[in-house]
Amino acid sequence: MKQNILIVDDEPDIRDVISVILNDEGYNTDCVSNAQEAQAKINIEIPSLIILDIWMRDSTMDGLSLLNWIKDSNPEIPVLMISGHGTVEIAVNAIKAGAYDFIEKPFKSEKLLFMVSRALENSELKKENEELKQQVRRTDMIVGKSSIINSVRQTIAKVSQTNSRVLILGSSGSGKEACARTIHQESPRRNSSFVHVNCSMVTEEELFGKEFRLDNNKRRLGLFEKSNRGTLYFDEICDLSLELQGKIIYAIQQQRFKRIGGNFELSVDVRVISSSSKNIKEQIEQGLLREDLYYRLGVVPIEMPDLKNHSQDIPDLVKYYMSSSAATLNKPVRTLSDDALACLQQYDWPGNLNELRNIIDWLLIMAPNNGNGIITSEMLPPEINFVPKEKQLSSINDYLSFNLKEAREKFEKEYLSAQIDRFSGNVSRTSSFIQMERSALHRKLKNLEIYK
């Protein structure tokens, strides 16, 4: 996606020269001659970089004053200052005020392009660093090798390369935001912002921004603007008020909106992804979700499965969360024994991935160290280690009516069925845990008519 550069200079020849040099390198450019025009341009669309002259005729502000205005309203925009009357003092003042760098006229095209490239790269690095800071406690990866997760991953691969709107469905904690972030990271928009909207708390001003009538040059950016060229993620879309639902329909469809108090429409290029843990059909029938909004959002639906439906992915998820949590909590990474993993795999996980991540945090903090760092089933929280009654083996009374051979066969069948279930049908892991050769276990399963 091409980067837009705003050139602010009162000399037409300078503007034209800079524009031609940058256009030849694949950049998009806009040219204005004074501070008023620059403010109007920036209010409509935020550029990737501004090249700003210090001295400008017929302007309400000089370059340094406009730089202060830019840094007050949009501190993330890199600004490259230029001047034909530059001094060391002016350059120092510009850098102190927040300019990325300073270049004197006349300049060589190679030097200009180098400084532009470096300023843009520095801006991207700052964005990436900020994103990495936010990801310290966030789970954005789609982890697992099960068929159901591979299916989700294949859908993400297809949809991420388009601008299609996506509606992600699934229970709370099933990984809807991770899915949305993965779509963004695998899309051509990956270098632009991913903006999260908490639909239960967001206001109209937060979404669309605001113009301050007493000062036309002052405004507050909304989330639609902040996500321009990026992705806007509506978390739990059914929690959005009906009033706001009506207001965003036009913005989503037309990619245009007005700030509160504004007199003109702004154009944006925003990809919209939304999610819900609620029954969409019931929400529409109850009048809590507008049907026309649903049809605009649900172009491509993706269903995130409950953890209990892909428990075979738990070993991979445990490794992932263990590594992430250990770094965050400043604890050494620990390993879970087979019996501990088996207990995790037989648990129903009402809290899904969020609950699993919390359990890993708890284990890193609370599990005793037995010298080898291995976490066994006895160290798990009581609710995880509890075996429901229907999954327990038969009591001794259930065997008293059988002879020894029949009782042994009944016990072996129940025992091996339970172990196979614990390891989600994985014969290799089951044979390792019960200390039985894999080929012998296969024969035993076949003889006992246990088909897994």
Side-chain angles (χ1 to χ4, degrees):
M1 196 174 292
K2 289 187 176 182
Q3 293 167 304
N4 290 332
I5 298 176
L6 177 63
I7 304 165
V8 188
D9 196 299
D10 61 343
E11 298 183 58
D13 291 344
I14 295 295
R15 295 197 302 269
D16 291 344
V17 168
I18 295 175
S19 181
V20 169
I21 292 172
L22 295 176
N23 289 157
D24 286 345
E25 291 298 312
Y27 298 108
N28 289 331
T29 58
D30 284 315
C31 298
V32 297
S33 61
N34 55 50
Q36 305 96 287
E37 294 175 357
Q39 289 173 321
K41 279 283 186 184
I42 296 168
N43 280 338
I44 294 174
E45 182 177 7
I46 297 174
S48 305
L49 171 72
I50 298 174
I51 297 176
L52 174 60
D53 189 18
I54 288 183
W55 308 110
M56 293 182 289
R57 297 183 297 270
D58 302 321
S59 178
T60 56
M61 300 180 187
D62 62 18
L64 288 177
S65 298
L66 181 57
L67 174 63
N68 288 326
W69 179 86
I70 293 168
K71 289 303 172 181
D72 283 342
S73 57
N74 298 281
E76 73 282 359
I77 303 177
V79 179
L80 183 61
M81 304 297 290
I82 58 174
S83 176
H85 311 282
T87 66
V88 173
E89 183 181 0
I90 290 174
V92 169
N93 288 337
I95 301 300
K96 283 183 177 179
Y100 175 76
D101 212 334
F102 180 89
I103 183 171
E104 287 187 83
K105 304 175 188 175
F107 45 78
K108 293 183 177 180
S109 59
E110 292 83 1
K111 184 175 182 180
L112 174 67
L113 289 171
F114 173 73
M115 296 181 78
V116 165
S117 174
R118 193 171 63 176
L120 290 170
E121 287 175 2
N122 183 69
S123 177
E124 289 301 322
L125 281 174
K126 285 183 177 179
K127 289 179 183 177
E128 288 175 12
N129 287 337
E130 186 59 33
E131 182 74 9
L132 286 172
K133 288 178 184 177
Q134 295 175 9
Q135 286 182 2
V136 170
R137 285 294 294 136
R138 195 170 63 212
T139 307
D140 295 347
M141 291 184 63
I142 304 296
V143 179
K145 305 183 189 73
S146 63
S147 59
I148 194 168
I149 289 299
N150 282 335
S151 177
V152 169
R153 198 177 281 115
Q154 289 167 9
T155 302
I156 289 174
K158 291 178 181 178
V159 78
S160 62
Q161 301 307 310
T162 73
N163 286 320
S164 178
R165 294 183 288 276
V166 179
L167 177 59
I168 306 170
L169 304 172
S171 304
S172 177
S174 59
K176 297 186 293 296
E177 184 174 350
C179 177
R181 288 186 179 277
T182 304
I183 292 172
H184 173 76
Q185 289 298 327
E186 294 186 6
S187 77
R189 298 172 180 266
R190 66 179 66 86
N191 293 324
S192 298
S193 298
F194 178 94
V195 178
H196 180 279
V197 182
N198 184 338
C199 292
S200 64
M201 299 178 65
V202 72
T203 64
E204 182 179 356
E205 183 176 325
E206 288 174 318
L207 277 178
F208 300 114
K210 184 176 182 179
E211 297 275 1
F212 295 93
R213 293 187 182 279
L214 296 178
D215 187 345
N216 290 330
N217 291 328
K218 293 285 186 178
R219 77 272 187 278
R220 181 174 295 134
L221 296 186
L223 298 179
F224 267 96
E225 253 176 298
K226 290 180 179 179
S227 58
N228 189 30
R229 302 192 192 94
T231 302
L232 188 60
Y233 172 57
F234 287 96
D235 187 5
E236 294 295 345
I237 191 67
C238 295
D239 291 343
L240 201 65
S241 69
L242 287 173
E243 181 183 2
L244 277 182
Q245 288 183 35
K247 291 180 182 296
I248 69 171
I249 288 175
Y250 177 80
I252 290 173
Q253 186 70 28
Q254 302 299 325
Q255 297 279 288
R256 300 179 65 84
F257 67 95
K258 287 183 180 180
R259 298 192 192 102
I260 296 175
N263 296 319
F264 54 86
E265 286 190 336
L266 305 174
S267 295
V268 289
D269 174 17
V270 174
R271 186 196 193 147
V272 173
I273 300 176
S274 52
S275 71
S276 178
S277 60
K278 298 176 181 177
N279 186 302
I280 295 293
K281 184 177 179 181
E282 289 180 0
Q283 294 293 300
I284 294 173
E285 290 174 350
Q286 295 171 17
L288 300 174
L289 178 67
R290 291 181 54 141
E291 191 168 14
D292 50 353
L293 176 60
Y294 164 67
Y295 286 123
R296 283 169 173 80
L297 295 176
V299 177
V300 178
I302 297 179
E303 184 85 30
M304 292 304 293
D306 287 343
L307 180 54
K308 66 182 179 182
N309 293 330
H310 60 110
S311 60
Q312 60 267 50
D313 291 324
I314 283 178
D316 289 332
L317 286 162
V318 166
K319 288 180 182 178
Y320 177 69
Y321 290 141
M322 182 65 73
S323 176
S324 173
S325 294
T328 302
L329 298 173
N330 195 25
K331 296 281 188 179
V333 172
R334 298 184 66 177
T335 302
L336 270 67
S337 65
D338 281 345
D339 63 322
L341 287 172
C343 288
L344 295 181
Q345 288 180 295
Q346 72 177 9
Y347 182 60
D348 281 339
W349 298 107
N352 285 305
L353 297 174
N354 289 342
E355 187 178 7
L356 176 58
R357 185 171 61 248
N358 290 339
I359 291 296
I360 297 302
D361 285 354
W362 185 91
L363 289 170
L364 282 170
I365 297 169
M366 301 299 296
N369 194 335
N370 52 12
N372 57 15
I374 296 176
I375 295 174
T376 61
S377 60
E378 294 80 13
M379 301 178 189
L380 297 175
E383 67 271 19
I384 301 294
N385 216 358
F386 173 72
V387 180
K389 207 168 189 180
E390 62 269 19
K391 292 188 179 181
Q392 294 176 0
L393 295 176
S394 302
S395 68
I396 188 64
N397 291 329
D398 295 322
Y399 291 95
L400 294 180
S401 60
F402 297 102
N403 60 39
L404 182 58
K405 181 181 177 182
E406 292 171 336
R408 183 171 57 202
E409 184 174 301
K410 176 178 172 62
F411 171 79
E412 285 183 341
K413 187 168 186 175
E414 288 189 6
Y415 174 77
L416 292 177
S417 294
Q419 294 292 8
I420 285 288
D421 286 340
R422 288 180 70 184
F423 291 100
S424 302
N426 190 314
V427 176
S428 294
R429 291 185 60 216
T430 303
S431 66
S432 176
F433 179 73
I434 66 173
Q435 298 181 20
M436 185 178 188
E437 288 289 337
R438 183 179 175 184
S439 57
L441 177 58
H442 271 294
R443 288 195 298 272
K444 179 65 72 174
L445 294 174
K446 183 176 181 179
N447 292 336
L448 294 175
E449 297 183 346
I450 301 173
Y451 300 105
K452 293 292 180 180

